[in-house]
Amino acid sequence: MVDRERIAADWAARGFSCELWIDAPGQRWEDFTHATDEVVIVLEGAMEFEVEGQVVHPQPGEEPLIPAGAVHSARNIGCTTSRWLYGYQRG
């Protein structure tokens, strides 16, 4: 079980926000870029993240980093709702 409060505190100490995102099965967010670094952690469900052509399928608790300016996508590849945390580096 991933502890959302612990993650939020850790990310805040590292200069990141922490918000919850919920995706229905099959939801796809394609080809985004952000001006700051982004971190994500899957709480439940099966997510796929593609960053600059590299695809990862993080397990709950794993923390991929999406660098500032990187073209990236997020996809719920499972048959259940996914819940995941994301945070942007604060300026």
Side-chain angles (χ1 to χ4, degrees), residues 10-58:
D10 176 58
W11 286 5
R14 293 166 42 204
F16 286 87
S17 61
C18 184
E19 300 294 332
L20 174 66
W21 197 262
I22 300 172
D23 281 323
Q27 178 66 57
R28 300 170 67 94
W29 304 99
E30 300 291 339
D31 300 330
F32 282 85
T33 60
H34 304 292
T36 63
D37 288 345
E38 179 182 9
V39 289
V40 297
I41 286 185
V42 176
L43 300 176
E44 63 183 75
M47 289 296 298
E48 172 179 276
F49 295 92
E50 182 174 348
V51 181
E52 295 291 323
Q54 298 292 327
V55 176
V56 296
H57 299 99

Side-chain angles (χ1 to χ4, degrees), residues 35-89:
T36 63
D37 288 345
E38 179 182 9
V39 289
V40 297
I41 286 185
V42 176
L43 300 176
E44 63 183 75
M47 289 296 298
E48 172 179 276
F49 295 92
E50 182 174 348
V51 181
E52 295 291 323
Q54 298 292 327
V55 176
V56 296
H57 299 99
Q59 297 301 306
E62 293 180 348
E63 183 184 297
L65 171 71
I66 303 168
V71 176
H72 62 283
S73 300
R75 306 173 186 113
N76 181 346
I77 58 171
C79 56
T80 62
T81 298
S82 65
R83 290 174 173 75
W84 48 287
L85 301 175
Y86 69 96
Y88 297 116
Q89 191 167 40

